[in-house]
Amino acid sequence: MNVSFRLSHRRFQAPRPRSSSSAAVAVVAATALALTACSAGTSSKGAAGSVGDDLTFGAPLSPPSLNPALGDPAYGSFYQWAYDPLMVMQPDGTFGPGLAVKWGYVGKGNRAYELTLRKGVKFSDGTALDAQAVKTYLDYERSQKTGSVAGLLGNVESIEATGPLTVRLKLRASDPNLTFAFAQAFGAGNIASPKAVGKPASLDNGTAGAGPYMLDATRTVASDHYTFVPNPNYWNKDRQHFKQVTVRVIPNSSSMIQAMRAGQVQAALGDATTLQAASGAGLTVLAPPQALTGLNLADRQGKISKPLSDVRVRQALNYAVDRKAIAKALYGDEKLALAQYALPGQAGYDASLDATYAYDPARAKSLLAAAGYPDGFTLPVLDTTVVGLDKMTQAVSGQLSKVGVKLQITTKPTVSDYFVAMVSGKYPAPVIGYGLANMATLHVGVVNPQGPFNPFHTSDPHLDALYKQYFAADEKDSAALQKQINAYLMKQAWTLPVVGAPLSYYLAKGLTGLQATTANAGVPWLTELRPGN
């Protein structure tokens, strides 16, 4: 059901969040990748850096299903080979054509969205991709009760095929985020064949997309390796750079580097704990900042931790942490320090905000005293060992103790354990790792009162008003409003950001084409990978 809340005397309906569990897993999994690469190769006997007709791509997690409507953007390394998105987010953050050649909002207020599809495209099963096929898939996708993609289309009221290759989406409430949702990062535009939609179980362990490859089920072992071969119906043969692509699941980050050293894997999603090892192995490392990582000061009403209800306390915690020191100690790069809710290259980023919470323990103590806590207080915190987030918590704990704030830490060993505890509302300050792209995606999980990273359901009338303007704004006005939202969240100190954790990719020598930046949310179009000349 749609999330809604009151704005003054008018009812304002926000975009429906993704299902809480899948959204949290998506973000944590993405953070796992962020705190954790890509490359191509021939055989298991090749030397590190060798590139040939076959590509083996390493991934730390296996997908719950190969059905993109039931899946999760954290598993894009499995979906992207078989499914071209409707549009592609470029390295500079702009959008280029994919299955659609024209797209955008029509009229005022971001209430209607139109797509014009590419001519002559077929799915791997031979079915033509046309407006009716796209409508069929998007209606199927938004009807799903599980998976994290359906929520991205929560504001879609109806979909109409207005011509052989044109589709119009009518929205029940303004929503500026559809183009981003339809690109490769979130994958809502990974269109599957209507034949497969008619038999959706066929998509659990198979593919029926309009991408350059398709799954070879005879050479696939679920949760171990997935083999993709060229799609004979693909519209652009020049983008089929390999005769075979195998995605191999390797959960252990050290084992991933060993496999790359041995030439068994030529490209992989990386891990922040192995960045230096990857560089030492002669691999190309791409590691743009991607995820806001720190503490979520979620109990802003003081239900469990009364001090957090005072904005001065939340601001004090932000002043008490030396972000650059933590970024250097944990990630080897103080430039990853982060105090705001956007990254350089993103529309909401404002360089003038970087110094807002410059390290100042004296000011932190003064604010704590003014709020009635001159001797500090004890703050219950939830963390997890996943991708080293517990190390982040320990580093923050050591610095907060200097201003009298003692963290009482509960650590969960798995993503699912962490999620269940986080959404329970029993922990006022859970550790957070949340991928940053724009203020709309931040709203889905963090700002929305029903978002999984807002377990105490905080709302703020001024913030709601800013979001209402932003959701209805055109691109020209959108950037300024995103900056205002960013600044207001900082002033209210909704979280304690510490670093923009990197989403990393490793490439063997001889591979080109992959470009990951903060502007494209650190999510490249993997099928651009190719052997160098």
Side-chain angles (χ1 to χ4, degrees):
M1 52 189 292
N2 292 330
V3 175
S4 58
F5 51 90
R6 294 198 177 273
L7 179 62
S8 299
H9 299 291
R10 298 177 63 191
R11 192 167 180 81
F12 169 47
Q13 194 170 48
R16 182 177 68 181
R18 297 177 284 174
S19 101
S20 296
S21 61
S22 60
V25 171
V27 175
V28 175
T31 304
L33 305 180
L35 299 179
T36 348
C38 235
S39 118
T42 50
S43 72
S44 62
K45 297 180 180 179
S50 62
V51 175
D53 291 338
D54 298 346
L55 169 69
T56 300
F57 187 99
L61 302 168
S62 58
S65 168
L66 288 178
N67 185 339
L70 300 179
D72 193 289
Y75 303 99
S77 54
F78 294 88
Y79 303 127
Q80 284 196 35
W81 308 106
Y83 295 92
D84 273 4
L86 284 169
M87 60 280 302
V88 179
M89 187 160 52
Q90 309 286 354
D92 63 358
T94 60
F95 294 89
L99 297 179
V101 295
K102 185 179 179 181
W103 59 88
Y105 298 93
V106 294
K108 295 183 179 180
N110 295 338
R111 296 288 296 275
Y113 189 91
E114 291 187 349
L115 294 160
T116 300
L117 304 174
R118 187 182 295 278
K119 296 179 181 179
V121 175
K122 292 183 178 181
F123 295 99
S124 59
D125 64 8
T127 306
L129 183 142
D130 57 15
Q132 188 59 47
V134 170
K135 169 181 165 53
T136 297
Y137 179 76
L138 293 180
D139 279 338
Y140 163 71
E141 184 175 59
R142 68 194 184 97
S143 72
Q144 299 310 300
K145 305 301 182 184
T146 60
S148 62
V149 178
L152 299 171
L153 305 182
N155 268 334
V156 176
E157 183 174 78
S158 63
I159 301 174
E160 181 183 2
T162 54
L165 294 174
T166 55
V167 181
R168 184 181 179 96
L169 285 70
K170 181 181 178 181
L171 308 180
R172 60 174 58 89
S174 56
D175 183 349
N177 208 39
L178 285 180
T179 302
F180 184 89
F182 285 143
Q184 74 270 20
F186 274 2
N190 289 336
I191 311 299
S193 163
K195 285 185 178 180
V197 170
K199 299 179 179 179
S202 66
L203 292 171
D204 287 335
N205 299 296
T207 61
Y213 303 93
M214 59 186 187
L215 187 77
D216 184 342
T218 66
R219 290 189 283 165
T220 293
V221 176
S223 300
D224 184 81
H225 66 274
Y226 300 74
T227 301
F228 296 85
V229 296
N231 170 6
N233 297 309
Y234 190 56
W235 64 273
N236 185 359
K237 302 297 185 183
D238 290 341
R239 292 199 64 253
Q240 294 174 317
H241 303 302
F242 302 97
K243 293 181 179 179
Q244 175 179 297
V245 174
T246 300
V247 182
R248 182 178 166 191
V249 180
I250 304 177
N252 183 278
S253 56
S254 296
S255 296
M256 186 79 77
I257 295 295
Q258 293 172 6
M260 295 194 76
R261 283 180 178 273
Q264 298 169 347
V265 173
Q266 298 78 41
L269 284 160
D271 183 324
T273 64
T274 60
L275 291 175
Q276 294 182 354
S279 295
L283 303 173
T284 297
V285 176
L286 303 176
Q290 195 261 358
L292 181 159
T293 306
L295 293 185
N296 185 7
L297 307 181
D299 187 15
R300 303 168 199 112
Q301 301 169 50
K303 293 180 178 179
I304 294 176
S305 177
K306 183 179 178 180
L308 289 188
S309 66
D310 193 318
V311 67
R312 294 170 296 181
V313 170
R314 302 196 302 269
Q315 291 172 344
L317 299 182
N318 273 269
Y319 282 116
V321 171
D322 187 342
R323 294 170 171 81
K324 290 184 178 180
I326 292 177
K328 180 68 174 178
L330 294 184
Y331 303 95
D333 187 357
E334 66 177 30
K335 293 180 181 179
L336 292 175
L338 180 71
Q340 56 178 290
Y341 295 78
L343 295 163
Q346 297 177 349
Y349 177 75
D350 186 343
S352 68
L353 297 175
D354 282 336
T356 300
Y357 289 116
Y359 181 49
D360 191 341
R363 188 169 184 180
K365 290 181 179 179
S366 176
L367 284 167
L368 287 171
Y373 304 96
D375 299 321
F377 62 96
T378 297
L379 177 62
V381 167
L382 172 71
D383 77 1
T384 176
T385 57
V386 175
V387 297
L389 288 176
D390 56 329
K391 296 182 176 63
M392 165 69 65
T393 307
Q394 291 295 336
V396 171
S397 177
Q399 296 200 353
L400 291 181
S401 68
K402 297 177 182 178
V403 299
V405 177
K406 180 181 178 181
L407 300 190
Q408 186 179 72
I409 301 171
T410 299
T411 302
K412 300 295 182 179
T414 68
V415 169
S416 58
D417 289 341
Y418 159 79
F419 165 70
V420 170
M422 182 190 69
V423 300
S424 70
K426 297 179 180 179
Y427 297 91
V431 69
I432 186 172
Y434 196 91
L436 296 176
N438 56 39
M439 292 300 145
T441 56
L442 187 72
H443 186 278
V444 170
V446 175
V447 178
N448 193 311
Q450 303 304 318
F453 289 86
N454 192 351
F456 292 88
H457 313 299
T458 304
S459 62
D460 181 301
H462 182 70
L463 190 59
D464 295 346
L466 286 174
Y467 263 103
K468 183 179 181 183
Q469 295 177 62
Y470 165 47
F471 286 150
D474 58 25
E475 187 174 355
K476 179 180 178 181
D477 296 330
S478 169
L481 287 164
Q482 290 193 67
K483 288 181 172 62
Q484 290 180 49
I485 292 170
N486 184 14
Y488 187 75
L489 285 169
M490 290 187 69
K491 181 179 179 181
Q492 294 301 310
W494 271 39
T495 72
L496 170 51
V498 180
V499 298
L503 179 60
S504 55
Y505 301 85
Y506 301 156
L507 304 177
K509 292 179 180 178
L511 281 179
T512 63
L514 200 69
Q515 298 185 65
T517 71
T518 56
N520 69 3
V523 184
W525 199 16
L526 295 180
T527 50
E528 283 295 281
L529 268 172
R530 66 195 71 191
N533 295 327

